[in-house]
């Protein structure tokens, strides 16, 4: 599901799989101290139209955000990942203030996040990996079978999210001047 969601939104599937591994270790029940929930570590306060506990919906939404960030930052994977982790505003402000050296001014957590994902993406570049017997967090070296399942609904029919009908995928456009908040960190304002 993760790789299929990534591919459908123009995101390198191996990059996205490494990102989700870093976000939640593929655990659909993951919770962070910052309030991020589910496999894609989404904060419902900022993203109310996606069910963070539904792996399909959360992965598709996260892939949509990554596709948006890649477009916004001209294909710069580090900028897209940093926007997902530290917020779009943070990345834009740092790039404006520091030019090519913007990465040096990212929070340490985000610099580590980038390094881990970029170093780990090669493990997802070829074929499916062994799967544990459940959707629980996978031990190192094992990923859930649905990572490579490629299962995607064939219709864009509405689905039930939080007891109401909602589209399977979020809108991919936004009004000018409004940033998508990142899934789980405050925006840089300085």
């Amino acid at each position: 599901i993760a790789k299929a969601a990534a591919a459908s939104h123009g995101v390198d599937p191996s990059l996205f799989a490494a990102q989700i591994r870093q976000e939640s270790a593929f655990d659909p029940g993951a919770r962070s101290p910052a309030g991020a929930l589910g496999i894609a570590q989404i904060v419902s306060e900022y993203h109310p139209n996606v069910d963070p506990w539904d792996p399909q919906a959360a992965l598709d939404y996260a892939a949509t955000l990554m596709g948006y960030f890649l477009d916004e930052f001209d294909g710069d994977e580090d900028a897209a990942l940093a926007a997902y982790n530290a917020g779009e505003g943070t990345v834009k402000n740092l790039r404006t203030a520091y030019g090519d050296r913007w990465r040096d001014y990212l929070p340490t957590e985000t610099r580590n996040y980038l390094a881990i994902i970029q170093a780990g993406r090669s493990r997802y570049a070829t074929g499916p990996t062994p799967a544990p017997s459940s959707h629980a967090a996978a031990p190192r070296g094992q990923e859930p079978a649905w990572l490579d399942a490629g299962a995607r609904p064939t219709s864009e029919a509405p689905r039930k999210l939080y007891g109401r009908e909602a589209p399977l995928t979020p809108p991919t456009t936004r009004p000018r001047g409004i940033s998508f908040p990142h899934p789980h960190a405050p925006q840089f304002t300085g």
Side-chain angles (χ1 to χ4, degrees):
I1 295 173
K3 288 182 175 181
S8 72
H9 293 287
V11 179
D12 181 299
S14 63
L15 177 75
F16 189 67
Q19 177 185 11
I20 297 304
R21 172 74 179 181
Q22 180 61 22
E23 287 288 342
S24 68
F26 299 105
D27 181 359
R31 291 177 182 261
S32 80
L37 306 172
I39 194 165
Q41 291 293 280
I42 294 169
V43 175
S44 294
E45 175 185 352
Y46 300 126
H47 305 278
N49 294 326
V50 63
D51 180 357
W53 302 118
D54 176 348
Q56 174 73 51
L59 289 169
D60 194 63
Y61 189 82
T64 299
L65 283 176
M66 281 299 293
Y68 165 78
F69 291 144
L70 285 166
D71 288 345
E72 190 69 14
F73 296 111
D74 300 320
D76 184 334
E77 291 176 344
D78 282 351
L81 288 167
Y84 194 93
N85 182 261
E88 180 183 14
T90 298
V91 175
K92 284 182 175 182
N93 289 336
L94 291 175
R95 286 168 59 117
T96 298
Y98 301 106
D100 291 342
R101 297 203 52 214
W102 67 271
R103 288 172 190 82
D104 297 340
Y105 296 92
L106 285 167
T108 302
E109 174 193 338
T110 303
R111 283 181 286 163
N112 291 339
Y113 178 85
L114 295 177
I116 290 166
I117 293 168
Q118 292 291 8
R121 74 190 292 183
S122 63
R123 76 184 293 177
Y124 302 104
T126 59
T129 54
S133 59
S134 75
H135 288 302
R140 271 207 194 278
Q142 293 184 332
E143 315 306 351
W146 40 268
L147 172 66
D148 288 308
R152 243 183 104 63
T154 57
S155 143
E156 291 296 316
R159 298 183 48 173
K160 290 258 185 215
L161 296 177
Y162 294 120
R164 64 184 185 275
E165 294 295 319
L168 179 63
T169 57
T172 57
T173 59
R174 61 174 168 69
R176 285 185 94 47
I178 296 177
S179 297
F180 278 130
H182 105 306
H184 56 281
Q187 298 288 307
F188 175 84
T189 58

